Amino acid sequence: MISRFWHKNKIPLLFLSPWLIGVTILAFIPMIASLYLAFTNYNMLQAPTWVGLENFNTMLNSDSRFFQSLKVTFIYVFLGVPLQLIVAFSLATVLNRGVKGLSFFRAIYYVPSILGPSVAIAVLWRQLFGMEGIFNDFVSIFGLEPQSWISDPSTSLYTLIVLLVWQFGSPMVIFLAGLKQIPSDLYEAAAIDGAGPAYMLFKITLPLITPIIFFNLVMQIIGAFQAFTPAYIIGGGTGGTLDSTLFYTLYLYIKAFTQFEMGYASAMAWFLLVIIATFTGLLFLTARKWVHYQD
Amino acid sequence: MKKKLLLLLMLLVTSILIIACNGDEDTVGEDSEGTDNGSGEESNDEGSASEEEVEIRFAWWGNTERDKKYNEILDLYEEQNPNVTIIREPSTWNDYWPKLSTQVAGGNAPDIFGLHLLLYGNEYFTKDVIEPLDSYVDQGLVSLEGWDQSVLDAGTYNGDLLALAKGVTIQALITNKSKIEGLGLDAPPAEISYEDFKDYAATAAEALPDGEYVTVDPTLIGEHGIEMWVRQQGGSLLTPDGSALGFEKEHLTEYWQYWAEMREMGAVPPANISAEQAGVPEESTLFAQGKQLFQDRPTNQAKMFADLLGDAELAITRYPVMEDGEFRGGEQLQVPAIVMSQNSDVKEEAAKLLSFFVNDLEATKIYSAENGLPGTEPVRENLEGSLHPMDQKAVEHMNLVTEDIPKTTIRPEGAVQITELYQSYSEQVAFEQMTIDEAVDAFFEEAATILGQ
C-alpha cells in the first residue's frame, strides 16, 4: 500500500520534500508537543509532569490576568478590525473612481501593511504617542493638555488600535480588486433608473463585494487575535500600565518565558486556537445570510 | 531570456541557503572534535599544555558599553590561550532571560553564563542546570584565593558552590548634590530615616519647579522597595520555602500609604509619568536630565549617571533607614554572578576561563567593577587606585550598609509571579483604581492562591 503510493508519487514527493520536512519539524512536531505540554506542569528546566486539566482549570477559574488579557484582545479585535475595514473600503472606493496616478497611491497606502507589525514601527509609535511625541503637539492645537498616550491606561490600548487601523493597505488592495470586478453596466442601468450614489453603494456595491468583505474579515480577525509585536514593544514586554495592553499572546509569552510556566502557556495557546476557530466558524455560519456569491 | 534570469535567481537563493547552513555545520563540527579528545587529556597547571582547539560559549547581559569590556577581556584570554576560541553571546537584560531559559530547556545552554542570584538564583539552582565548582577548585582550575566568605555563601546552594560573583552591589539613592545645592538646600546625610526623608522631600518639592521631582516612585519600579521595607521589620518578601508571603497586611498598607503621601505632595511624579519613565532609555530618565534629585538604583550604576550628567557632583545616599525597626537597613546584596552549565562539553576549559574572569588582575581591571564591587580582596586592592570616583563612594556605602542588614536571601521559586502580582496592584494604587485597603486584600488573596499551588 505504502510502497504503491510511494511508487506512484515518488517524484512529486521528492520535489515537495523540502517543504514537507520543514513543516513537519518546524510546525507539526512542535504542535503535537505543545498539545502534550498543555496538560503538564513544565518549567522548561525539568521534565514535565502530568497534571491533567489543571492548567485549564486555573486559567478559567482563578487567573485574573488571563481574563484581563482576553478583555484587551477582544476590544482590540472587535473594535480595531471593523474600523480598519471601513477605512480600507472607503479609500478603495475613492481610488476606484479613477484617481490619477492610481498605482502610486495604491503603493503608498500599501506600505504601512508591510511595515505595520514590525519592531521599528512599534518603536516609532511609542515616540509618536509618548509624552514628548508629535501627537501631543497636534492635540495642543485644540487646547488639550499634553499627556503620555502610551502609558496612560485609559488611552494606551487605543493607540494600538490606531496602529492596527493604519495598516489598512492590504485589505484595501483586495477591496480595490473586488470593486474593479463589479460590471459597470449595473451602475449605468441604475443611473438611468435615477438611483443616487448612496443607493448604488448599498444596493449594488456592498452586496456584490460581500465575498471580499468576508474574506478580509476572516483574515484580519485571525491576524488580530495573534497580534504580539506592538504590545510587546510598546508595553516594554510587560503588558503596559495596569495591564492595559496585555494582549493574549503577550500574556502567553510572559507565562512561558518570564514565569517559566511552559505547560500553562501551551494550554493558553491551544485555548487561543479554540477561540479563533470558534469565531471563524461563527463567521462562516452567518456568511450564508449575508455573503452573496455571483454564480 | 526570462527563464534564464529566473534560473539564475533561484541558483543565487539556493547558494545563499547552502552557505548559511554551512556556517553552522562548521562550528558544530569543530565543537564536537574538541570535546572528543578533550576529556582524555590531563589537566595541566600551565595553560599552554592543552593544545586541543576548544570553543567556549560565553553569554552575558548588558549594553554596548559593557559589551566592549567583555570583548576586551575575552580577546585577552584568547591571546593568552591561542587554542581557545570564545563564542560571545551578548543580550540586553530583557532579552537575556527568555533566551537563556529557552537555551537551557533545549539543552544548548552557553558553557558560561551570567546569573543574577537575587532574582533568578533559585530558578536555576534547584534544577540541576549548573555545574558545581568545588571539584575544579580542588583541581586548582578555579581559584578562591582572597574571596569573602559572604560572597561565596551567596553562590552556594545545598553545600555546592555554584556561582562566583562578578560584583556585589546594593540598591541606594544616587543623589544629584549640585542640583540640591542649587535649590539652596543641603544634601541629606549619608543615612536618613524614612520620616526625615519625607520632611526633606516636602521641603525640596516646594523649592522645585513644575515638572521636576525629588525622587523615583519605588512602588512602580519593582519590588526592591517593599522588600527592604519588610526586611527592616524582620520580615521577608517570601518565606524561605516559598510557601507564603513573608510579611503582614499592615506592612504593605503602611508602605503604600507612605508613597501615596509622597505622590500627593509632588515629591515623586504622578503615576502616568512614572509609568512612562519605566520604559525610557537611561539618558531620557528625569534624573539623567537633571530634573530629579534622587535616583533609586544599585550603586554600580552611579558612574553611568555621573557620565550622563556631565559636571554635576553626585553622592550616594543610603536607602532610608528605620531606627525603630528590627534592622536599621533592609538592603539585599545584589550579586550578578557567573556560572557554568552542567551540559558543557568543555568543562575544564570553561572553569579556567571562569576563574580568569573573576580573578585575573588584568581582566578585572578592564571590567573595572562594572557589575559592582568584586568579592575578592586581591582584586579590590588592585583596583583601588583606578576605581571611578563613584565606585569609591560605592565602597564606602557598602561598608556602611553591611553593618546592620539582615542576611541576604535568595528568593525561592515562585517569586517572579509574586513580584509581577505586586507590581500590578502597586499600579492599581498609584493610578487610584483601587483604595490601598482593597489592593492589599486583593494582593494577599491572590498571592495565597499562587503560592498554594
Side-chain angles (χ1 to χ4, degrees):
Chain A
M1 177 66 192
I2 292 173
S3 76
R4 245 186 75 195
F5 175 79
W6 170 244
H7 194 72
K8 216 172 148 191
N9 298 312
K10 190 162 54 183
I11 290 172
L13 277 177
L14 276 177
F15 272 104
L16 274 174
S17 64
W19 178 82
L20 272 177
I21 293 169
V23 99
T24 316
I25 295 178
L26 299 176
F28 195 63
I29 295 179
M31 273 177 72
I32 299 297
S34 88
L35 182 60
Y36 164 68
L37 290 176
F39 297 96
T40 64
N41 186 356
Y42 179 43
N43 59 25
M44 298 206 288
L45 304 177
Q46 287 158 316
T49 50
W50 185 265
V51 294
L53 288 171
E54 195 190 291
N55 286 332
F56 293 96
N57 193 13
T58 320
M59 204 158 84
L60 297 172
N61 290 319
S62 56
D63 188 347
S64 60
R65 287 189 89 191
F66 175 75
F67 284 100
Q68 171 68 14
S69 78
L70 272 182
K71 190 181 125 197
V72 168
T73 311
F74 275 82
I75 296 177
Y76 179 75
V77 171
F78 292 108
L79 198 62
V81 171
L83 278 175
Q84 184 201 37
L85 293 187
I86 290 170
V87 172
F89 180 76
S90 318
L91 269 159
T93 16
V94 172
L95 287 183
N96 195 36
R97 289 275 153 85
V99 184
K100 265 195 183 159
L102 169 67
S103 52
F104 172 74
F105 283 112
R106 202 170 46 195
I108 286 292
Y109 287 135
Y110 193 70
V111 167
S113 277
I114 305 170
L115 300 176
S118 69
V119 172
I121 292 298
V123 172
L124 180 74
W125 226 249
R126 223 188 136 107
Q127 295 296 322
L128 274 179
F129 289 98
M131 194 67 186
E132 317 275 320
I134 294 179
F135 192 67
N136 270 332
D137 296 341
F138 174 71
V139 297
S140 67
I141 300 173
F142 305 102
L144 287 170
E145 282 286 305
Q147 66 171 102
S148 175
W149 304 87
I150 293 288
S151 53
D152 185 326
S154 60
T155 55
S156 53
L157 180 57
Y158 299 99
T159 64
L160 291 182
I161 290 178
V162 173
L163 177 58
L164 174 67
V165 173
W166 180 68
Q167 296 157 40
F168 57 81
S170 79
M172 184 200 74
V173 168
I174 299 169
F175 275 131
L176 202 52
L179 288 173
K180 294 228 178 284
Q181 294 296 312
I182 301 176
S184 57
D185 45 354
L186 289 178
Y187 292 107
E188 283 158 21
I192 292 169
D193 289 343
Y199 201 79
M200 286 197 225
L201 173 71
F202 286 107
K203 294 291 172 180
I204 301 174
T205 316
L206 278 178
L208 285 177
I209 209 164
T210 44
I212 311 282
I213 297 180
F214 178 63
F215 172 80
N216 274 334
L217 204 55
V218 171
M219 295 311 283
Q220 295 301 325
I221 282 182
I222 294 177
F225 265 118
Q226 300 175 0
F228 174 76
T229 320
Y232 179 76
I233 303 294
I234 288 171
T238 62
T241 334
L242 290 178
D243 283 342
S244 57
T245 55
L246 184 71
F247 283 11
Y248 192 96
T249 49
L250 180 60
Y251 185 47
L252 191 157
Y253 172 87
I254 289 172
K255 273 285 170 197
F257 294 106
T258 66
Q259 300 186 357
F260 303 106
E261 292 193 49
M262 192 50 100
Y264 193 93
S266 299
M268 281 186 71
W270 281 90
F271 194 75
L272 178 64
L273 179 76
V274 171
I275 294 175
I276 295 179
T278 309
F279 280 101
T280 316
L282 279 178
L283 270 178
F284 270 93
L285 278 181
T286 61
R288 286 185 207 148
K289 299 230 159 58
W290 61 273
V291 180
H292 310 285
Y293 291 99
Q294 286 171 284
D295 295 316
Chain B
M1 185 58 206
K2 238 183 183 175
K3 251 187 188 168
K4 268 191 185 164
L5 207 73
L6 199 74
L7 204 71
L8 202 73
L9 206 77
M10 280 181 67
L11 250 164
L12 199 76
V13 172
T14 327
S15 54
I16 288 172
L17 273 174
I18 290 171
I19 291 166
C21 295
N22 226 7
D24 275 355
E25 261 164 35
D26 266 2
T27 50
V28 172
E30 270 175 40
D31 205 19
S32 53
E33 215 174 278
T35 53
D36 285 347
N37 308 336
S39 50
E41 97 196 327
E42 278 169 77
S43 69
N44 198 308
D45 289 349
E46 303 297 318
S48 59
S50 52
E51 286 308 329
E52 283 305 324
E53 291 290 320
V54 283
E55 279 186 351
I56 305 177
R57 287 170 56 209
F58 193 117
W60 67 88
W61 70 81
N63 49 37
T64 44
E65 283 304 306
R66 192 176 283 178
D67 294 349
K68 280 183 205 156
K69 292 187 175 181
Y70 274 94
N71 280 325
E72 205 178 324
I73 295 167
L74 300 179
D75 287 345
L76 179 71
Y77 189 78
E78 283 179 338
E79 209 174 284
Q80 293 176 2
N81 302 270
N83 61 322
V84 175
T85 313
I86 301 164
I87 299 168
R88 297 127 205 240
E89 303 182 3
S91 309
T92 61
W93 170 265
N94 277 339
D95 295 335
Y96 184 80
W97 302 104
K99 188 172 163 191
L100 182 64
S101 55
T102 318
Q103 285 177 325
V104 169
N108 58 344
D111 297 308
I112 299 179
F113 56 91
L115 190 61
H116 195 286
L117 296 189
L118 179 60
L119 301 178
Y120 289 95
N122 260 23
E123 303 281 352
Y124 287 88
F125 281 3
T126 50
K127 289 165 190 149
D128 285 338
V129 172
I130 297 167
E131 176 81 0
L133 297 173
D134 307 85
S135 64
Y136 305 97
V137 175
D138 294 342
Q139 286 177 55
L141 295 174
V142 173
S143 159
L144 298 182
E145 202 192 318
W147 278 75
D148 300 348
Q149 195 54 44
S150 63
V151 176
L152 291 178
D153 285 346
T156 304
Y157 179 77
N158 272 354
D160 292 330
L161 177 65
L162 297 179
L164 287 176
K166 293 196 252 194
V168 180
T169 183
I170 297 176
Q171 198 83 6
L173 298 173
I174 300 166
T175 310
N176 191 336
K177 213 170 158 186
S178 310
K179 171 101 185 159
I180 291 176
E181 281 160 4
L183 294 173
L185 297 171
D186 286 331
E191 284 188 323
I192 187 166
S193 72
Y194 275 100
E195 283 318 307
D196 290 346
F197 187 66
K198 195 196 275 175
D199 295 340
Y200 184 85
T203 325
E206 292 271 307
L208 281 165
D210 266 1
E212 301 196 358
Y213 304 94
V214 179
T215 184
V216 180
D217 186 344
T219 66
L220 295 176
I221 57 162
E223 67 292 343
H224 289 299
I226 180 69
E227 188 175 36
M228 286 186 253
W229 177 271
V230 298
R231 275 164 59 84
Q232 281 168 315
Q233 301 176 63
S236 59
L237 194 65
L238 289 168
T239 54
D241 60 356
S243 64
L245 291 173
F247 55 96
E248 303 298 325
K249 282 186 177 178
E250 55 266 26
H251 291 141
L252 183 56
T253 312
E254 284 165 15
Y255 180 71
W256 274 340
Q257 265 161 4
Y258 181 91
W259 289 103
E261 283 167 36
M262 295 285 269
R263 214 174 293 124
E264 252 160 60
M265 66 167 88
V268 299
N272 60 340
I273 294 183
S274 295
E276 163 129 357
Q277 280 284 304
V280 300
E282 303 292 9
E283 60 270 23
S284 311
T285 54
L286 288 165
F287 186 75
Q289 293 183 340
K291 294 180 181 170
Q292 193 171 281
L293 306 182
F294 299 93
Q295 180 80 322
D296 187 336
R297 287 299 175 92
T299 53
N300 65 319
Q301 297 186 5
K303 54 178 178 283
M304 173 187 74
F305 284 108
D307 292 342
L308 288 172
L309 278 162
D311 36 274
E313 192 195 345
L314 301 191
I316 293 176
T317 308
R318 186 177 180 179
Y319 220 82
V321 294
M322 235 178 243
E323 293 297 352
D324 53 351
E326 197 148 321
F327 297 92
R328 288 183 73 236
E331 290 95 334
Q332 295 259 39
L333 297 180
Q334 297 187 32
V335 187
I338 181 170
V339 301
M340 194 203 305
S341 160
Q342 212 163 65
N343 268 339
S344 172
D345 293 326
V346 287
K347 286 180 181 160
E348 294 187 352
E349 287 293 336
K352 283 189 214 164
L353 173 56
L354 197 153
S355 182
F356 173 86
F357 192 87
V358 290
N359 285 312
D360 186 81
L361 294 182
E362 208 173 333
T364 47
K365 197 151 201 170
I366 296 170
Y367 203 57
S368 187
E370 177 69 22
N371 269 125
L373 298 164
T376 146
E377 188 58 38
V379 173
R380 277 197 299 259
E381 255 170 40
N382 183 49
L383 284 177
E384 230 156 52
S386 63
L387 272 185
H388 191 284
M390 289 316 294
D391 282 332
Q392 283 165 6
K393 290 191 175 144
V395 178
E396 290 162 28
H397 172 257
M398 185 174 292
N399 290 336
L400 181 76
V401 167
T402 43
E403 270 172 26
D404 48 20
I405 52 171
K407 189 173 180 295
T408 293
T409 50
I410 293 183
R411 292 186 192 150
E413 265 184 286
V416 179
Q417 265 174 290
I418 295 299
T419 55
E420 287 188 7
L421 186 71
Y422 165 75
Q423 193 58 47
S424 99
Y425 281 108
S426 274
E427 285 174 5
Q428 302 277 2
V429 171
F431 279 92
E432 293 172 358
Q433 304 282 310
M434 279 179 138
T435 67
I436 291 176
D437 288 339
E438 283 166 4
V440 169
D441 286 343
F443 171 74
F444 270 76
E445 196 177 312
E446 216 167 313
T449 322
I450 292 174
L451 296 169
Q453 275 173 10

